[in-house]
């Protein structure tokens, strides 16, 4: 069984954008940036343990890093793994 610190290592931070806020209000979906090696079951268990809610579905996506320039040098920002977590009806997470 995972310990509490493992849950905090799986969920890095919530993704708070205009689109994610709309999905939260309309579809009861929340987006989190998660650890790259985390699978859907680990993400589901972490959300349920940390926020005391029931998760009905987890979708994941990999967001590749963007190519950026600083002065004359180019670099790529880190890739991120995003989890879209849908909660059962009646459950809610207070992020702010």
């Amino acid at each position: 069984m995972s310990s509490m610190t493992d849950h905090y290592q799986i969920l890095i931070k919530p993704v708070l954008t205009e689109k994610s806020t709309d999905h939260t209000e309309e579809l009861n979906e929340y987006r989190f940036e998660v650890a790259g090696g985390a699978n859907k079951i680990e993400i589901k268990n972490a959300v349920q343990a940390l926020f005391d809610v029931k998760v009905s579905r987890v979708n994941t996506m990999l967001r590749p890093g963007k190519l950026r320039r600083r002065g004359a040098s180019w670099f790529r920002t880190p890739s991120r793994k995003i989890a879209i977590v849908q909660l059962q009806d009646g459950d809610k997470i207070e992020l702010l």
Side-chain angles (χ1 to χ4, degrees):
M1 196 72 190
S2 298
S3 68
M4 189 60 77
T5 57
D6 291 336
H7 296 314
Y8 285 110
Q9 291 171 352
I10 291 172
L11 295 180
I12 298 172
K13 63 181 179 181
V15 177
L16 298 174
T17 61
E18 189 172 345
K19 183 176 182 178
S20 69
T21 305
D22 289 344
H23 282 208
T24 297
E25 294 168 358
E26 296 169 9
L27 307 171
N28 204 20
E29 288 181 349
Y30 295 83
R31 293 177 185 227
F32 295 95
E33 185 175 335
V34 295
N39 62 35
K40 292 181 181 184
I41 296 168
E42 293 170 338
I43 295 167
K44 177 181 178 178
N45 292 337
V47 171
Q48 289 183 156
L50 293 175
F51 297 105
D52 194 31
V53 293
K54 289 288 184 188
V55 174
S56 61
R57 189 179 74 209
V58 176
N59 291 347
T60 59
M61 61 182 162
L62 294 174
R63 301 296 307 257
K66 297 179 178 181
L67 198 58
R68 297 286 188 215
R69 195 171 101 172
R70 186 170 293 135
S73 61
W74 289 85
F75 66 97
R76 185 171 292 277
T77 60
S79 298
R80 305 184 307 159
K81 185 172 189 175
I82 306 292
I84 303 170
V85 178
Q86 186 173 32
L87 303 182
Q88 290 183 356
D89 290 340
D91 282 344
K92 191 174 183 178
I93 296 174
E94 292 295 332
L95 293 175
L96 292 176

